[in-house]
Amino acid sequence: MPHLDDHTALSLEYLELLARGAAAEAYDRPGLLARADGADEATLAALERSRRLALGVRAELEERRRREAELSALYATAHDLAGLRDLDAVLRAIVRRARSLLGTEVAYLSLNDPVAGDTYMRVTEGSVAARFQQLRLGMGEGLGGLVAQTARPYVTADYFADDRFQHTDAIDAGVRDEGLVAILGVPLTLGSAVIGVLFAADRHTRVFGRDQIALLGSFAAHAAVALDTARLLAETREALSRLERANEIVRDRGLVIERAFDVHDRLTELVLRGGGVPEVTEAVAGVLGGEVTFTEHPPTRDGGTEDGDGGDGIGDGGGGDSARGRAVRHGRDWVAEVSAGGERLGALVLRGRPRLDPVDRRTLERAAMVTSLLLLARRSAGEAEQRVRGELLDDLLDAPDRAPGLVRERARRVGADLDAPHAVLAAHIGQAEHTEHTQHAEHAESAESTEHAASTDGSQGRRLWSAASHLAATSRGLAAARDGGAVLLLPLAPGESTTALARRTAADLTASLRVPVTVGASAVVASPAARAHAVGDGYAEALRCLEALRLLGRAGEGTAAGELGFLGLLLADGRDVEGFVRGTIGPVLAYDERRGTRLVATLQAYFATGMSPLRTKDVLHVHVNTVAQRIDRVGQLLGRDWQSPGRALEIQLALRLHTMTGPGGPLPDARGR
């Protein structure tokens, strides 16, 4: 029978086994050795009690170690959640720890898709089958679908033999590819909502205990927290991003508003100190960062709009956005109409800024409004100056007895030099001569049409006066409205004829008004200030030239009496007979004077005999070849068309006047001068 010390020694051996963490089978060895040594029943019974106690302690230690590992894993997961940076990394860590602690071959996590109404694989650990990793489970399909639908854990020891859930070919094929048999699934919940399922599975039959179900549920809870935290973080980041964008917008708007205040101050200063349109465009360009120009001819409709996808209303006469003074898109440019009282004065065009925010648009519109104010102010000043010029010309025409010194002083104030050579010009908007049929048609018009025509004529007269006044101001002359048209007193450039001045004036007024303007000019008025009566006479002569052009159907042209041949002689106020003769047959007279020939006498005989060379040679008593040679010489001097009916008539009249004014001096004019 072993002694007590031996019994104590055997008990200590169990403690050594516990200390070493020996396997459960090692605890049978002390009893077997005692039985082999012949120990009595009391000793063996004591050893058995010690063995059972040691195994109990061992089981308790194992459970504590397992609990410690689980708590450590949960703590690590909680730590991961506290420093959540990458949601996928946290979910993979949860699945990996669940697989490790439960000792399963596979673990995976699926999430619900609210849009598709099913569940999809998010993370897998230990999976080898691609089809399994891509599975989507409808609500109620498979074990995972049942967990997601019922929000309760489900476990099966043999998946294919379990008929508690709905089997589908797709799910069963995926599970079969992966070789799974025992599966445990627990729901991921947020409040009462299921957002996914966490699984642990083995490729052999296995029964999962309550502790394992609870442990996997804890991991599922952490996964749900991770997902919700990630969602909240994403929403927070999105909110911060929106706040940053809003802050940027506020900052940008603040800068834009600051620019708007700046341009407002600059435009106000421009208006107060009488600045011009170029200064406005320069100021706006500096603020908006593009090129700004003013044009008197806004672009026509070309598909641009305020938002770039419709009609722009520029130049369409339809009362679009531009007619209300708004900035609109025109291609890649922005156009803001400059208008006042419904009258379009032009437009500001911004280039180099394809996109404008509302504040910048308003800046461009405000600049257009300021431009219209400046243009109206300039127009008012111009109209006042035009009235002064018109009143001076009216006085020259209606009250020619005013003192020359007073006339010169008034002219000096408007920049005119009335001691220089001038010409008086009468201008009318050109019209064809009325036929009898037209007159009958006009009499048949209604009273309303007649009033409309009168209104139109008045409008055209005002436009003609405005254009003539502008031309006079730029030419250092005078202009006034008279007789339904305009009268101008313009200086002659050095070497310029009155005919050339009339043509240039007609061309300028026609281009400005875009309708034919007919202009008749007087002879040269040497000094209007000293010879005020000549201005009135010149205007009468200019009107006669104007009427001659109308009768000849030459609307839109300009001329003076000197260009109209014998008709000009009849119309001219001074009856310049000598000028007409020299202008018509001057080369022939000069040739006879230099050479001592008789070309003038030959011409007189030639016309007197009905332009017959044979009868001419009898009158002159020369050979017919001599007549032919003289006629050829006349053609070289006067031009090939000298025998045309019109030229021939003028030449015959010039020959008669030359004969009449030769020995006895020039004929008196119509006034006896």
Side-chain angles (χ1 to χ4, degrees), residues 229 368 561 654:
T229 302

Side-chain angles (χ1 to χ4, degrees), residues 55 148 158 165 172 227 234 303 317 380 383 403 500 555 617:
L55 287 174
D158 188 347
F165 43 83
D172 287 355
L227 290 167
S380 298
E383 289 177 351
K617 63 100 175 170

Side-chain angles (χ1 to χ4, degrees), residues 386 390 393-394 397 423-430 457-458 460-472 478-490 505-506 509 513 517-521 538-540 542-543 546:
Q386 289 172 5
L393 184 52
D394 284 336
L397 292 170
V424 182
L425 302 102
H428 276 240
I429 293 180
D457 291 342
Q460 289 184 338
R462 287 191 296 272
R463 292 177 60 216
L464 176 59
W465 170 74
S466 177
S469 298
H470 176 73
L471 179 60
L478 305 177
R482 183 167 286 244
D483 298 328
V487 56
L488 300 94
L489 183 64
L490 299 181
T505 302
L509 294 177
L513 299 178
V517 178
T518 310
V519 177
Y539 178 56
L543 283 178
L546 185 67

Side-chain angles (χ1 to χ4, degrees), residues 49-119:
R49 285 195 301 272
S50 297
R51 184 183 72 82
R52 286 198 297 270
L53 288 173
L55 287 174
V57 172
R58 179 181 178 280
E60 183 66 25
L61 292 175
E62 287 291 332
E63 179 65 18
R64 290 187 178 185
R65 279 195 290 269
R66 183 180 67 80
R67 291 283 186 180
E68 182 180 352
E70 292 175 357
L71 291 174
S72 177
L74 292 174
Y75 175 79
T77 301
H79 183 270
D80 291 342
L81 292 177
L84 180 62
R85 294 292 181 271
D86 184 350
L87 176 62
D88 287 335
V90 173
L91 294 179
R92 283 194 298 271
I94 290 174
V95 172
R96 183 173 61 254
R97 290 168 184 150
R99 178 191 176 204
S100 173
L101 290 177
L102 269 69
T104 58
E105 297 172 281
V106 180
Y108 51 97
L109 184 146
S110 66
L111 294 178
N112 290 0
D113 186 344
V115 177
D118 60 8
T119 300

Side-chain angles (χ1 to χ4, degrees), residues 402-413:
R402 292 184 182 274
L406 179 60
V407 171
R408 289 189 180 94
E409 176 61 22
R410 292 175 62 187
R412 184 188 62 79
R413 292 174 183 174

